[in-house]
Amino acid sequence: MEMTVNKTLVENLKGAIRDVPDFPSEGIIFKDITTLLKQGERFKEVIDLFAARYGPGGPVPGVEAIVAIEARGFILGGALAVALGVGFVPVRKQGKLPAQATRMTYELEYGRDTIEMHQDALSAGQKVVLLDDVIATGGTAEATVRLIQGVGAEVLETAFLIELGFLPGRSKLEALGQSVFSILKYD
């Protein structure tokens, strides 16, 4: 399921992302994608890359829905779902969805968090791609994979605009047997 991305395009996309030092806490360099999103051409290039991968003729065929994680994942996931003509499923923090939801609680570095998805959002056997903006430590993505699998749907691949390769997110997902695709990697 390999797919190479043109090096010039990668550099253009990386150049459109702003680094914000010490956010959300001291010592962190936050990769702010809002500067990429405001550039229509760059935003379209990102969606086109994902669509080429998950659309007809791409290396990961048969996608029936895009599952995306709150909040920046919604921006990418919604646009990709429209481009592919498939459904969109939001995964939100606890208490944000209006109907009956299934939930998954997971450990953070300091504490716990809970995510939810509507109980009727996916059906058993449905083939989905999990999409988010960044894979870092992988806790939220791992919990989302477990949530999707818990309702019997199949995660074809986990996908991210940005991968922070110096953190354990990829290995955490691969330990679950998940394929991981990222457009931009920072080591």
Side-chain angles (χ1 to χ4, degrees):
M1 288 198 262
E2 277 305 305
M3 179 177 151
T4 57
V5 180
N6 176 297
K7 288 182 183 185
T8 302
L9 178 55
V10 166
E11 291 310 311
N12 288 340
L13 293 174
K14 281 186 172 184
I17 295 171
R18 170 176 42 203
D19 285 346
V20 181
D22 300 321
F23 183 82
S25 58
E26 188 79 25
I28 303 291
I29 298 175
F30 184 81
K31 299 293 184 192
D32 179 13
I33 69 165
T34 63
T35 51
L36 179 147
L37 296 173
K38 74 179 186 177
Q39 298 177 43
E41 182 181 347
R42 296 283 98 87
F43 186 16
K44 183 177 182 325
E45 288 168 340
V46 166
I47 300 307
D48 288 348
L49 285 169
F50 282 127
R53 184 165 184 83
Y54 302 116
V60 184
V63 176
E64 298 172 311
I66 301 298
V67 177
I69 302 169
E70 182 176 329
R72 290 172 305 275
F74 288 1
I75 298 165
L76 300 172
L80 179 58
V82 168
L84 296 176
V86 300
F88 173 78
V89 176
V91 171
R92 301 209 60 194
K93 299 227 184 255
Q94 185 174 6
K96 301 289 185 180
L97 293 173
Q100 289 290 334
T102 183
R103 68 183 46 91
M104 180 68 57
T105 299
Y106 61 100
E107 298 296 322
L108 299 168
E109 188 174 349
Y110 300 104
R112 303 175 86 179
D113 207 351
T114 302
I115 54 170
E116 295 181 329
M117 179 177 69
H118 278 136
Q119 286 179 353
D120 60 358
L122 297 170
S123 36
Q126 193 170 6
K127 294 174 176 22
V128 307
V129 167
L130 167 59
L131 179 63
D132 203 5
D133 64 325
V134 176
I135 179 71
T137 61
T140 307
E142 176 187 26
T144 304
V145 166
R146 292 182 187 280
L147 195 63
I148 294 164
Q149 291 173 335
V151 298
E154 178 186 350
V155 181
L156 296 175
E157 190 162 70
T158 59
F160 306 91
L161 171 57
I162 296 170
E163 178 179 349
L164 302 179
F166 53 90
L167 293 172
R170 174 179 285 270
S171 61
K172 195 175 281 189
L173 292 173
E174 287 175 343
L176 288 175
Q178 294 300 304
S179 174
V180 179
F181 173 74
S182 57
I183 293 174
L184 307 175
K185 189 168 184 180
Y186 296 86
D187 289 318

